[in-house]
Amino acid sequence: MYPKRLSDLIEELLYGEDGYYTRYVRIGKRGDFFTAPHASPLFGYTVGRFLQREGVKILLEVGGGEGYLAEDILKSTDITVLSYERSPHLLKFQWKRLKKWGERWRTVGELVEADAYLLNEVLDAFPSNRYVFKNGRWYEVVVDEGKFALIPSEGPKHYLGPVKEGFVYDEGVGMEGFLKEIFKKTDRVLIFDYGYDEEEFPLLAPDGTLQGYRFHRVVHGLDALTERGDITHFINFTQIKNIARKNGFKAKIYIDQTNFLLKNGLLEVFESLPDDEKKRLAPGMKTLILLFRNHRVLYLTR
Ligand SMILES: C[S@@+](CC[C@H](N)C(=O)[O-])C[C@H]1O[C@@H](n2cnc3c(N)ncnc32)[C@H](O)[C@@H]1O
């Protein structure tokens, strides 16, 4: 049997017949991990306000999870939301939560035309391969006869940043093709995710960014592959900006998530709420501002 690449293993573990996203995923307090829409509806209200100001009437959300972000955008704007979701399990949650919106929300089975596309923590959920720079050259981590092994490799396909001895890099697979399809269908793409620019990886994550989440516990590195939970890695924003450029898009906004929310009216949105609602949402707003420190926003326009 040939050694198996980690991306093939992760694909199976996440999206295979018995995969985490196919059958088991739960997001939020009772689940395995938190995302911003689960921390506070103020996230969706602020993102909705931004999109509305950008003139978006029809939005396609990719990987909307349990549907919280779509719901908060539907509630706070008059935008129509289309949902393209890979996980049949999460789609059931979305249907339950959002079917009441009738004409304003529907699911699509393929990427269709829309004024804008929205991706919150989707690209980090693509499978990744792991590379190690050792003795002046690259190796790839594979699974050979049930064990992890290193085989000589040409190195990551898209990483052009600095390297140093012992550096481990986890590279997402399949993003380029996926983004290219998206770029054919829209003029605007708004991406929220955790990640770094290329040159930051060896400094901020020299041991790699592969990690797993199970019941809100983080497992770093290859151990993530033996948990029955979410498996993820930090995305390379330089790579995404390069792919965008090649496809005629430019980065109109590239900023950390907290600043994006503050600049786009998070506090005004909060202040506009009735007092009891303010009281109820204050802890979530604090979480939104403080917890998502590695998250960035990339807004690509043609
Ligand atoms: C970490 S979850 C985030 C869910 C949601 N956006 C949130 O913020 O709560 C990743 C989401 O991306 C979806 N996903 C991953 N790959 C996808 C793909 N190729 N097409 C559509 N959805 C995808 C997953 O099914 C899941 O809904």
Side-chain angles (χ1 to χ4, degrees), residues 15 21 33 35 62-63 65 84-87 90 120-122 126:
Y15 305 105
Y21 276 102
F33 57 91
T35 58
V62 178
Y84 178 81
E85 170 57 66
R86 186 175 185 189
S87 158
L90 289 171
N120 187 59
E121 294 202 20
V122 176
F126 275 52

Side-chain angles (χ1 to χ4, degrees), residues 14-15 21-22 25 27-28 33-38 43 61-69 84-88 90-91 94 111 118-127 174 178 192-194 230 232:
L14 294 184
Y15 305 105
Y21 276 102
T22 311
V25 53
I27 308 171
F33 57 91
F34 259 108
T35 58
H38 286 255
F43 179 73
E61 187 186 12
V62 178
E66 296 191 17
Y68 279 67
L69 177 52
Y84 178 81
E85 170 57 66
R86 186 175 185 189
S87 158
L90 289 171
L91 210 43
Q94 288 189 24
L111 302 178
L118 173 63
L119 292 82
N120 187 59
E121 294 202 20
V122 176
L123 298 176
D124 67 78
F126 275 52
F178 191 69
F192 294 80
D193 222 319
Y194 37 86
D230 191 23
T232 169

Side-chain angles (χ1 to χ4, degrees), residues 51 98 109 126 166 169 189 225 240 287 291:
L51 291 168
L98 301 170
F126 275 52
Y169 181 68
V189 184
L225 307 179
I240 293 172
T287 309
L291 196 72

Side-chain angles (χ1 to χ4, degrees), residues 59-79:
L59 173 71
L60 191 146
E61 187 186 12
V62 178
E66 296 191 17
Y68 279 67
L69 177 52
E71 182 174 45
D72 297 330
I73 292 174
L74 287 162
K75 268 187 192 163
S76 59
T77 69
D78 57 11
I79 294 172

